[in-house]
Amino acid sequence: MTAQDSATRPKRIAVSEAATGTTAPVAATPAPHGSRRTGTVMAALGVTAFSLTFPATAWGLQGIGPWSLVTLRGVLSALIAGGCLLALRVPVPHRRHWAGLAVVGAGVVVGFPLLTTLALQTSTTAHAAVVVGLLPLTTAVLSALRTGARPSRMFWVAALAGAAAVIAFTVQQSGGALSAADLYLFGALLICAAGYTEGGRLAREMPGWQVIGWGLMLCLPLNLLGAVLALQHESFQLTGHSTAGLLYSAIGSQFLGLVVWYRGMAAIGVPKASQLQLAQPLLTLVWSVFLLGEHLPVAAPLTAAAVLVCIAVTQRARG
């Protein structure tokens, strides 16, 4: 090989990759978002933000109709995200990313908020927490199918044990009876897990806040149209609770929570990050006591201890 060939070879490779739209495999480079400890902290902050979603939604429903609440939440979040993207002059994602962003939008921007809001019209926050109890396991399974990840057997045992503890707790506290809202909740579970999985994969190629930001922008036209139609047919009253619920669900849950959540998943992996959500139903119950006046069951501390043990095991398990 001549010196000239050596000098031009990198250029040829770059042109070839640009023409085919391919990049180096993500696994070949280290996680772009810091250490695993930082990733765990980020994912935990996301779980904390998500744990307030159901109480905030219950507040919002006190003065705003369900369809209006969901669409206005999406519009407000998109305005914030769009302002950030515009101010920082973030380029439009590569076309290969738009299919994944559509899954993120369908799952966490539209599907999960809408289905859980409809469910919370007739379901308590404790009963709705069944969805959150099942979500980590479902996300881990979808991630394994989507990315080819193969967590260890100990990981799966701990994940199943933690999910079983949360499910047993929440179902027992709701009397073991299934309501019509469960159809909404199970649908929300599946579509949100898909959005988490795809968002976690995309967050390895672009910053997590851009993943949710572009997902919100993609859904903005649909949410705008839905808000216009919903406000014409539903009640809309801005009380202290309904205003706080709308603002938190839009800013805290829909944008900031997902920003740190996707960053955490990118750093420590989707399966392990998803197991931190095993603590979310119990956090939701605690917030429900202080914000909604619901009674905290005696079994909550015992379940919390079991869940924390399972989380510790999944974080240490090697995949």
Side-chain angles (χ1 to χ4, degrees):
M1 180 181 295
T2 65
Q4 182 177 3
D5 289 338
S6 299
T8 58
R9 186 172 180 269
K11 295 181 181 180
R12 293 171 184 171
I13 294 175
V15 172
S16 177
E17 289 179 348
T20 58
T22 60
T23 59
V26 175
T29 59
H33 300 302
S35 67
R36 296 181 65 83
R37 179 178 298 179
T38 300
T40 300
V41 171
M42 292 294 101
L45 288 175
V47 169
T48 303
F50 298 153
S51 69
L52 281 160
T53 300
F54 287 169
T57 301
W59 271 9
L61 287 172
Q62 293 180 14
I64 306 174
W67 292 87
S68 299
L69 180 62
V70 171
T71 53
L72 287 174
R73 163 182 170 170
V75 170
L76 290 176
S77 300
L79 291 177
I80 297 172
C84 293
L85 293 169
L86 184 63
L88 296 175
R89 299 182 179 180
V90 177
V92 176
H94 193 280
R95 62 182 180 182
R96 72 177 182 276
H97 292 145
W98 282 109
L101 290 171
V103 175
V104 171
V108 302
V109 176
V110 177
F112 188 79
L114 176 60
L115 293 174
T116 53
T117 299
L118 293 174
L120 285 172
Q121 291 184 102
T122 58
S123 174
T124 65
T125 56
H127 189 76
V130 173
V131 171
V132 182
L134 292 173
L135 188 54
L137 181 60
T138 308
T139 302
V141 172
L142 289 182
S143 174
L145 295 175
R146 177 68 175 87
T147 66
R150 292 294 181 267
S152 67
R153 181 177 301 178
M154 181 60 67
F155 175 93
W156 288 113
V157 170
L160 288 169
V166 172
I167 293 170
F169 172 75
T170 50
V171 171
Q172 187 272 331
Q173 292 301 317
S174 64
L178 298 179
S179 65
D182 286 318
L183 294 177
Y184 291 131
L185 295 174
F186 288 135
L189 164 70
L190 294 174
I191 196 170
C192 187
Y196 280 174
T197 300
E198 201 64 21
R201 184 186 67 82
L202 288 173
R204 288 184 173 273
E205 301 186 39
M206 64 176 72
W209 76 271
Q210 292 183 24
V211 173
I212 184 58
W214 287 113
L216 285 164
M217 295 305 298
L218 191 62
C219 297
L220 178 58
L222 179 63
N223 279 323
L224 274 173
L225 177 60
V228 171
L229 295 176
L231 289 172
Q232 296 177 3
H233 298 91
E234 290 184 335
S235 61
F236 182 81
Q237 183 179 4
L238 288 178
T239 64
H241 278 179
S242 64
T243 302
L246 173 60
L247 291 178
Y248 182 83
S249 61
I251 301 172
S253 298
Q254 190 78 79
F255 184 65
L256 295 179
L258 285 167
V259 167
V260 294
W261 174 242
Y262 281 139
R263 181 174 180 179
M265 284 199 296
I268 66 176
V270 175
K272 288 190 176 182
S274 69
Q275 299 315 300
L276 292 173
Q277 281 195 305
L278 288 169
Q280 187 172 326
L282 304 178
L283 288 173
T284 298
L285 292 178
V286 172
W287 299 128
S288 297
V289 170
F290 292 103
L291 300 178
L292 303 176
E294 295 185 359
H295 175 68
L296 184 63
V298 177
L302 296 177
T303 308
V307 167
L308 289 176
V309 170
C310 293
I311 291 175
V313 173
T314 59
Q315 292 303 300
R316 292 179 178 273
R318 299 286 182 179

